[in-house]
Structure formats: C-alpha cells, structure tokens
Amino acid sequence: MSAPIVVINPNSNQAVTDGLKDALAAFDLPGGPDIECLTLAEGPFGVESQLDSDSVVLPLAKLVQSRPDAGAFVIACYSDPGLDACRSVVPQPVFGIQESGVLTAMARADRFGVIAIAEASVQRHRRTMARMQVLDRLACEIPLNMSVDESARGERTFERLVEVGTTLKEQGAGAIILGCAGMARHRPGLEAKLGIPVIDPTQAAVAMALGALFAG
C-alpha cells in the first residue's frame, strides 16, 4: 500500500507538527501506508479564532489538490477548517479531527467532554457538533485558556489538562477529547491520570483513514 495518509497541520508552528509525528508513530504499520505530517507554511502560528480558521481554507484546498498521490488526508486542527472545501475538490477521503474525535469518543462512552484551547474555540466547536446533531452527548467543554503553542510545549500545560480533565469527569464525561492537535503529546499521561479514555482526535482521524484505505 503505497499511497500515503497526508496529515496537515494548518498552523505554521512546527512544534505542533513534531508532536503529531510522535503521536502517530504507532500507526506506521508494516505493509501499511506512510503517515506524512505537513506544516501549512501559509497558516497562522496558531488557529485560535474564526478568522484564523477561515484564513487557511484556500491554502488547504490548494495543498490537497497538489497531492494526487495521497490515499487520504487528515486536517489536523480541531476547528476542522476547510473540511467541506477540501472534500469538494479531491476524490480522496478527507477527515477532520473534530468529527473523528467526537465519533470515536461516542464509541467509548455515553457522554464525552472536550478540552478546548480558549473560550472563543468553544463556540466554533459547538457549531460543528450541532451540525453533527450530537450536542446531547456532550457533558461539557472547558477551555484551558492557553495559546496553541503553550498547549504544545508550555511548562504548566499538563497540570492544567489534569485540572480541566478532572472537572469534565466530575461533570459526567466518560471520555475526554483533546480539543487541539497541539495537546497530542499529553494524551497517554492524561489518560493514566484520569482513569478514563482520552481521545487524541488526530489519532482518531488517522485510524479512520487507515480503515478507509484497508477497506478500499
């Protein structure tokens, strides 16, 4: 199976892309497709507002169109920017990490919680969940109130993740989704600390992409 799964970080922060590579290393299966992680050079340093999210739609569409060799694409930003646009211009499957993370969380628990980056992110995420008609399965979404860069490599990030994750668990979440690709490196430790499933949505999306390629 030679066609790679192309995972695109829509922000220009290479530290986030490096974290994705580490989190996806276990998906490099013998005989399976390569997992290629790219940084969108035209993107903002962090996708932290609606304007940031909208600004990467055209660059993402151009990038996926430039990769006819790919077997599938993953847009590794929890706002799922450009998902519909990219699906409209290429024949390959395109997975958004919010959609994939939510579907995976619902397969693991009746109600799920989301750890967002900032308060402004919550409304964007709720719009997607409303479209998916899954808001009744959402226990709560709580922001870290950090930047994307801080979530990837800040000194207090893990401590704050435990604090927010504990509150989500107390509010009825049976599984927790990390609501930013920059949090990927913290998933194993956070799951061990909380004792419930913690979903890295990029891993969830790549798992779905693998399933689509192997089934095809």
Side-chain angles (χ1 to χ4, degrees):
M1 186 177 294
S2 57
I5 296 172
V6 177
V7 179
I8 306 169
N9 168 22
N11 70 55
S12 55
N13 188 339
Q14 185 62 37
V16 173
T17 307
D18 292 343
L20 294 175
K21 291 177 182 178
D22 292 340
L24 296 173
F27 291 81
D28 188 13
L29 306 174
D34 290 336
I35 311 295
E36 184 178 344
C37 296
L38 304 180
T39 303
L40 188 70
E42 303 96 322
F45 194 63
V47 177
E48 298 173 357
S49 68
Q50 188 64 54
L51 184 60
D52 289 338
S53 181
D54 291 345
S55 74
V56 301
V57 174
L58 287 179
L60 282 170
K62 291 178 181 178
L63 178 53
V64 298
Q65 286 179 299
S66 74
R67 293 298 304 269
D69 61 307
F73 297 97
V74 170
I75 299 175
C77 172
Y78 199 74
S79 294
D80 284 352
L83 182 59
D84 293 329
C86 290
R87 285 174 173 170
S88 75
V89 296
V90 294
Q92 301 99 316
V94 183
F95 296 89
I97 67 171
Q98 182 177 182
E99 276 192 354
S100 301
V102 168
L103 292 171
T104 300
M106 291 194 304
R108 301 292 302 277
D110 181 53
R111 300 177 73 210
F112 64 92
V114 181
I115 302 177
I117 281 290
E119 191 66 44
S121 305
V122 175
Q123 293 305 313
R124 293 198 307 279
H125 300 165
R126 289 184 66 88
R127 283 194 290 271
T128 295
M129 288 186 283
R131 186 175 78 166
M132 295 175 71
Q133 299 185 16
V134 298
L135 282 172
D136 60 332
R137 300 281 295 273
L138 176 68
C140 190
E141 178 165 1
I142 300 175
L144 295 179
N145 291 318
M146 291 181 169
S147 69
V148 172
D149 189 52
E150 286 175 317
S151 77
R153 51 186 176 180
E155 292 182 3
R156 288 195 62 249
T157 301
F158 186 74
E159 177 184 342
R160 180 68 176 141
L161 284 167
V162 171
E163 179 183 337
V164 171
T166 299
T167 301
L168 290 171
K169 183 178 177 180
E170 291 170 349
Q171 294 194 16
I176 290 173
I177 306 170
L178 299 176
C180 178
M183 303 177 194
R185 67 183 74 231
H186 301 294
R187 191 207 69 78
L190 185 61
E191 183 169 277
K193 190 78 172 178
L194 297 178
I196 60 174
V198 175
I199 310 299
D200 171 6
T202 307
Q203 290 181 335
V206 169
M208 291 185 182
L210 283 168
L213 293 182
F214 281 122

